[in-house]
Amino acid sequence: MAYSEKVIDHYENPRNVGSMDKDETNIGTGMVGAPACGDVMRLQIKVTDGGVIEDAKFKTYGCGSAIASSSLLTEWVKGKTLDEAAEIKNTAIAEELELPPVKIHCSVLAEDAIKAAIDDYKNKK
Amino acid sequence: MKTPIYFDYSATTPVDKRVAEKMCDCLTTEGNFGNPASSSHEFGWQAEAATDKARKDIADLINANPKEIVFTSGATESNNLAIKGVAHFYKKKGKHIVTCKTEHKAVLDSCRQLEREGYEITYLDPEDNGLIDLDKFKAALRDDTILVSIMHVNNEIGVIQDIKSIGEITRERKILFHVDAAQSAGKVPIDMDDLKVDLMSFSAHKIYGPKGIGALYVGRKPRVRLEAQMHGGGHERGMRSGTLATHQIVGMGEAFRLAKEEMAADNERIRMLRDRLLKGLDGIEETYINGDMEQRIPHNLNISFNFVEGESLIMALKELAVSSGSACTSASLEPSYVLRALGRNDELAHSSIRFSLGRFTTEEEIDFAIAKINDNIGKLRELSPLWEMFKDGIDLDSIEWTAH
């Protein structure tokens, strides 16, 4: 299958790979997917007291499109408020990365990941 | 050395130049273009002589009689003809067939079709090493079993089934035995005098012949009957109608003749290359070889790199043409049914890569592959949350994943 240039760029130069301490109260962690399904995404956000995402990190086990979706997501959420980040739709990710229909689930997973990270952060409060 | 490097010889092989030359001689006005069925003139006689020679070369590789070779469009058609042809012809004798879960789709789907027609199929589970346990096999046979279909060499994991022993069992019970030999012909010695096999499927393009041509061995002693699946001019003794494709058949014949001459030397060289590849990957932790390592053709190395998803690894190894047991591209998200049948968990199935080597693989290519894989596994594991958890000593099975 041919990948779009944007997927290849994110895959070869993934942005914001890494981990943050999940026990910190200003960190929200979202881990979605399952190894059995072939993809697991872990997205972490660091949130300021004012409710703005100041940093984001990810690690993803999955295909190139899954890696690219999570890499792109970390770029997009930085600087956004939690409410703004929660508004990110999978369709926007799929469109930006020109994902083919069989890879749409990768963008769905990314949307799930940011929602899960926000929930985790809010639950700590 | 040109990239990408071809490591997918189990999918198909390039046509050997010596084969291509012979094929080109059977196409144009200057060449042997006649219809082998034209018995009234020289053009037909010449074409028939060429297909007869090819038939003999193919029979010679497996020590069979040329009269036992029926040309088809490939192993898929041969499998269909063998399974449906036998089932339909012998339906009054019984309606039970035994096969294995790791067979090629051409066998499994033919069986599914027969199930829809009212036949009963037993799909055997292989052992963890991909091989069939003979006691379990015997236990699956019934008085109304008419056919057993077991492949010789598996296309994904390269393991070699004990078709000699299986043949002894089926012959004693007077059950017909079909073997899909698409992946074994030219790689494993086959002697039809020694094997009690009634039907055997072959493909040309897996051993340096052209695509679109194959054959079905139909035994004469004891005689095997088939109901034709393709009707028409009654070619191939009524078993498969359709004008013989002279150039394809000549190509297949030459490929099989070369295979007989060069198999032993090819195998030795390829085994050396396979061992070199395996040794080169030795330093990578958490790798698992899929399928038995002894009962296996040297051409195949199927290996799971735990915590790295296969498709992303293929993307990283873009200079290497390999295939993966991961099915991230399929809507079902289901990984290789062959690896699952071995009892491999889905994670390892998703993490598998198949390297298949062949006649034109070089040591330089193997060394290049070793370097690329070693470089990229580390990078992908740095990206993998599963690897991080594994390194932190977290049991991945203890986590409640959200399946999607």
Side-chain angles (χ1 to χ4, degrees), chain B residues 76-146:
Chain B
T76 288
E77 188 191 333
S78 298
N79 288 337
N80 272 264
L81 175 57
I83 293 166
K84 294 179 196 165
V86 162
H88 291 158
F89 193 92
Y90 293 95
K91 60 175 178 273
K92 288 206 174 99
K93 231 182 122 197
K95 285 194 147 187
H96 180 240
I97 294 169
V98 176
T99 185
C100 177
K101 285 184 177 165
T102 51
E103 290 294 308
H104 191 270
K105 287 284 183 190
V107 167
L108 295 176
D109 253 29
S110 295
C111 288
R112 291 273 181 234
Q113 173 57 28
L114 290 172
E115 276 184 298
R116 286 189 283 271
E117 294 173 19
Y119 292 80
E120 269 185 78
I121 319 283
T122 299
Y123 299 93
L124 291 169
D125 279 304
E127 300 302 294
D128 290 352
N129 60 4
L131 298 171
I132 289 170
D133 178 90
L134 291 178
D135 289 326
K136 289 179 190 165
F137 168 72
K138 269 188 229 167
L141 299 176
R142 310 192 320 209
D143 289 341
D144 63 340
T145 307
I146 50 172

Side-chain angles (χ1 to χ4, degrees), chain A residues 1 3 11-12 17 19 31-40 42 58-64 102-103 105, chain B residues 307-309 311-312 315-316 318 328-329 333 346-347 350-351 379-380 382-386 388-389 401-404:
Chain A
M1 186 181 40
Y3 293 93
Y11 173 77
E12 289 185 346
V17 176
S19 313
M31 188 155 72
V32 293
C37 303
D39 33 32
V40 174
R42 192 192 63 195
F58 86 97
K59 282 199 177 188
T60 291
Y61 162 87
C63 65
V102 293
K103 295 295 185 185
H105 69 273
Chain B
F307 313 117
V308 174
E309 195 274 332
E311 196 187 317
S312 67
M315 208 170 154
K318 57 181 185 296
C328 198
T329 45
L333 295 177
D346 287 357
E347 259 165 277
H350 275 297
S351 304
K379 180 196 153 191
L380 284 165
E382 278 310 306
L383 264 176
S384 167
L386 304 181
E388 184 183 304
M389 291 159 81
W401 299 100
T402 50
H404 56 283

Side-chain angles (χ1 to χ4, degrees), chain B residues 37-323:
Chain B
S38 297
S39 54
S40 56
H41 51 69
E42 180 73 25
F43 297 92
W45 304 331
Q46 268 189 24
E48 192 188 25
T51 55
D52 280 352
K53 177 176 185 306
R55 206 184 290 276
K56 184 173 185 312
D57 285 333
I58 292 161
D60 279 352
L61 178 68
I62 59 166
N63 195 23
N65 187 312
K67 287 180 181 153
E68 294 169 314
I69 302 298
V70 172
F71 286 114
T72 65
S73 62
T76 288
E77 188 191 333
S78 298
N79 288 337
N80 272 264
L81 175 57
I83 293 166
K84 294 179 196 165
V86 162
H88 291 158
F89 193 92
Y90 293 95
K91 60 175 178 273
K92 288 206 174 99
K93 231 182 122 197
K95 285 194 147 187
H96 180 240
I97 294 169
V98 176
T99 185
C100 177
K101 285 184 177 165
T102 51
E103 290 294 308
H104 191 270
K105 287 284 183 190
V107 167
L108 295 176
D109 253 29
S110 295
C111 288
R112 291 273 181 234
Q113 173 57 28
L114 290 172
E115 276 184 298
R116 286 189 283 271
E117 294 173 19
Y119 292 80
E120 269 185 78
I121 319 283
T122 299
Y123 299 93
L124 291 169
D125 279 304
E127 300 302 294
D128 290 352
N129 60 4
L131 298 171
I132 289 170
D133 178 90
L134 291 178
D135 289 326
K136 289 179 190 165
F137 168 72
K138 269 188 229 167
L141 299 176
R142 310 192 320 209
D143 289 341
D144 63 340
T145 307
I146 50 172
L147 178 69
V148 166
S149 183
I150 299 291
M151 72 203 322
H152 195 187
V153 167
N154 184 275
N155 47 311
E156 284 194 33
I157 53 176
V159 298
I160 307 168
Q161 299 291 355
D162 183 3
I163 58 168
K164 180 164 169 62
S165 299
I166 294 172
E168 299 291 337
I169 297 163
T170 50
R171 185 61 56 84
E172 195 192 314
R173 304 257 321 232
K174 294 198 167 63
I175 297 166
L176 291 176
F177 182 27
H178 166 248
V179 173
D180 175 1
Q183 294 285 351
S184 67
K187 301 188 183 108
V188 180
I190 297 173
D191 180 352
M192 296 314 275
D193 248 2
D194 181 44
L195 299 170
K196 295 192 169 63
V197 170
D198 300 290
L199 299 130
M200 195 178 260
S201 301
F202 300 102
S203 166
H205 77 97
K206 305 290 190 191
I207 50 168
Y208 315 100
K211 294 164 188 63
I213 186 76
L216 179 65
Y217 162 93
V218 183
R220 284 152 47 95
K221 283 177 197 165
R223 187 176 177 206
V224 180
R225 309 288 300 275
L226 290 176
E227 199 180 282
Q229 304 295 304
M230 188 73 78
H231 301 95
H235 306 78
E236 301 298 273
R237 286 170 295 128
M239 284 187 268
R240 203 280 191 178
S241 289
T243 296
L244 291 181
T246 315
H247 64 301
Q248 301 285 82
I249 289 169
V250 163
M252 181 170 180
E254 181 65 2
F256 275 55
R257 190 186 70 76
L258 291 170
K260 187 176 183 193
E261 272 182 10
E262 300 181 359
M263 175 162 51
D266 266 0
N267 280 354
E268 196 180 327
R269 204 182 61 84
I270 289 166
R271 181 177 302 278
M272 191 268 292
L273 292 175
R274 195 269 317 267
D275 291 346
R276 189 181 180 91
L277 176 60
L278 195 56
K279 195 162 167 288
L281 304 180
D282 214 19
I284 304 174
E285 49 182 326
E286 283 294 308
T287 58
Y288 299 87
I289 291 171
N290 299 306
D292 194 84
M293 215 39 209
E294 300 303 317
Q295 290 300 310
R296 183 192 200 104
I297 54 168
H299 310 64
N300 171 296
L301 189 63
N302 188 314
I303 186 162
S304 289
F305 298 91
N306 208 2
F307 313 117
V308 174
E309 195 274 332
E311 196 187 317
S312 67
L313 181 53
I314 282 185
M315 208 170 154
L317 303 176
K318 57 181 185 296
E319 287 117 325
L320 315 180
V322 294
S323 71

